[in-house]
Each structure stands twice: as C-alpha cells, then as structure tokens.
Amino acid sequence: MAKIPVLEIFGPTIQGEGKVIGRKTMFVRTAGCDYRCDWCDSSFTWDGSAKDEIKMMTAEEVYAELCEVGGNRFNHVTISGGNPALIKGIQGLVDIFQENGIYTALETQGSQFQPWMRQIDDLTISPKPPSSMMKPNLPILDDVISQCIHDTINLKVVIFEEEDFKFAEMIHKRYPTIPFYLQVGNPYLEGEQVADHTTKLLSLYEDLVERVIESSEMNDVYVLPQLHTLLWSNTKGV
C-alpha cells in the first residue's frame, strides 16, 4: 500500500491563506518539493533539516492520527507541504476524507497533476513569482489547470516586490475566469517570534492594498494577509 511522507499533523487551527482563509481546519504537512523558493517559509520540508522527522504513513494511519489529535473538533483538512501534488499515495487519503464527510483544501504551485486533485474541495494553485527565484513552466501550468475541476480552483500569487505584481497581472490575464487572490509575502523568517511582526506585515499588506487599488488590471481580485503569521509570527504547528 502506498505511503505518504508526513512531517506534521496538527490542529484544529485556522487556515491562514488563500480562498479559505479563516476556516477552521486540521493540517497534514507532507515532505518533498520540486521547487526551492528563495523565501520559502517551509523549507524544512525539502532542505533535509527535518529528514529525521519524516514518517512514512498509510492513508489509514494519517486519518487515525488526525482523529486522535483533533477528536470531533474538525470537518476540514488542509493538505500542505512542500508540494503534496508530487505524492500519488494521497489518493487513498482523499478517498477516506470523502467517505467520512471531511472537506479538503490543497495548495500547489501547479507543476504536477494528480487525479485525486479533482476531489479537493478548495484547490489553490499558486504559481511562484520572480522573487522566489523559480520560473513556472506556463504550458505545464495550463495543462494542470485544464485537468482540474474549475468550480474548485482558485489562483494565488504571493507578492514581495514590483516584479511579482507584474507577474500576477500576467497570470490574471492568462486565466481571467478563475478567482484570483493576491497575498502579501512574509520577508521576516528569522526566528519563531519576530519583534513587531504583526505591525511590519500589516504595513506591507497596506502597501499591497494600495497598489491593487491603483491598478486597472486588478479590479476583481482579492487581497489577503497571511493570517496565521499576523497571529502567531513564524511559530510552527499552528
């Protein structure tokens, strides 16, 4: 039976990003990613620093631990990474969620498609902007999006700098019918608790809001903070 490389199972907490921001959820964080984003806030999923913490788990084992940790206090699970879309074995886990009436969310950069992604209730595809030092393959992104169920998809781009905003405008023009979210980036990654972190992030968020207000290309987008970071700085497991 296929196993899933799991780094963390935690919650209930709230979803801090994307379309379901504020949603009460559990988290399953998988290991492994095909990108190496310069500002990644979960680099431990791919840089080897947490390799000894990876547990190879069956779908049944993951669900059992979710129930042990979350009890009866959840009906929504966010599958996070890394890039969970690399893992075929998540199919069994998504099937279990559907059988038990559990809603699901997933974020991926759109570099890989898995058939089980069609079963995700809230699928966030987040192509990475220039500040990440990664370059999305747009034909592959087109193909991934074409294979997903459009009622479940939203697009999200994280913004750190002007070139990121121009990239977001290009992505929005390329897929004008897909709900589009902009999220302010978190450049303050040193340490679990950053001094005045909330104030610093809210200032960046205000700057992004102002930029969107002045843009004629961004009239139907949503502008988001990174909610969990406002609340808990860079603390893991919340």
Side-chain angles (χ1 to χ4, degrees):
M1 184 175 294
K3 293 194 175 184
I4 303 166
V6 176
L7 271 169
E8 295 182 298
I9 294 175
F10 62 91
T13 182
I14 57 167
Q15 173 58 256
E17 303 181 357
K19 179 183 177 182
V20 289
I21 190 169
R23 175 69 155 93
K24 183 180 179 182
T25 190
M26 296 288 291
F27 272 85
V28 176
R29 187 183 300 281
T30 61
C33 192
D34 50 337
Y35 274 25
R36 301 291 183 268
C37 293
D38 195 54
W39 37 251
C40 180
D41 60 2
S42 303
S43 58
F44 63 94
T45 62
W46 51 261
D47 66 7
S49 61
K51 63 181 180 181
D52 293 337
E53 300 173 34
I54 298 171
K55 296 189 290 185
M56 299 303 297
M57 304 176 71
T58 65
E60 289 79 8
E61 288 170 339
V62 172
Y63 185 63
E65 186 162 334
L66 282 165
C67 293
E68 180 179 349
V69 173
N72 64 354
R73 296 174 294 139
F74 74 98
N75 67 353
H76 186 280
V77 174
T78 299
I79 305 170
S80 185
N83 183 10
L86 300 176
I87 304 169
K88 293 181 180 180
I90 289 177
Q91 177 67 70
L93 183 59
V94 172
D95 290 343
I96 290 175
F97 291 153
Q98 285 195 324
E99 290 165 6
N100 288 276
I102 304 295
Y103 297 95
T104 52
L106 172 80
E107 181 173 323
T108 177
Q109 58 261 45
S111 60
Q112 180 77 33
F113 174 77
Q114 298 287 351
W116 54 259
M117 288 165 61
R118 295 193 185 103
Q119 297 169 250
I120 298 295
D121 295 293
D122 293 296
L123 176 59
T124 297
I125 296 180
S126 182
K128 303 309 177 188
S131 63
S132 70
M133 306 306 291
M134 298 287 105
K135 187 174 181 179
N137 185 316
L138 294 181
I140 289 179
L141 180 61
D142 291 342
D143 183 62
V144 169
I145 288 174
S146 72
Q147 295 186 75
C148 294
I149 298 174
H150 277 231
D151 287 348
T152 68
I153 296 177
N154 68 93
L155 285 162
K156 188 189 83 176
V157 174
V158 179
I159 307 295
F160 283 86
E161 57 193 34
E162 182 62 30
E163 289 303 308
D164 294 349
F165 195 81
K166 293 177 181 177
F167 173 83
E169 289 180 326
M170 179 273 293
I171 292 292
H172 190 35
K173 288 179 184 177
R174 192 177 184 95
Y175 312 103
T177 63
I178 299 177
F180 195 76
Y181 294 79
L182 298 182
Q183 181 178 293
V184 67
N186 172 22
Y188 312 109
L189 297 176
E190 296 301 320
E192 284 203 345
Q193 297 293 326
V194 176
D196 299 318
H197 205 178
T198 298
T199 300
K200 292 174 181 175
L201 290 174
L202 285 176
S203 178
L204 295 177
Y205 180 51
E206 184 176 7
D207 290 344
L208 179 57
V209 168
E210 291 296 328
R211 189 177 295 177
V212 169
I213 288 171
E214 295 302 320
S215 172
S216 61
E217 304 293 334
M218 296 293 197
N219 290 342
D220 58 351
V221 305
Y222 301 84
V223 190
L224 302 179
Q226 197 179 45
L227 186 57
H228 60 287
T229 309
L230 293 179
L231 292 171
W232 299 302
S233 194
N234 296 324
T235 303
K236 289 170 60 179
V238 292

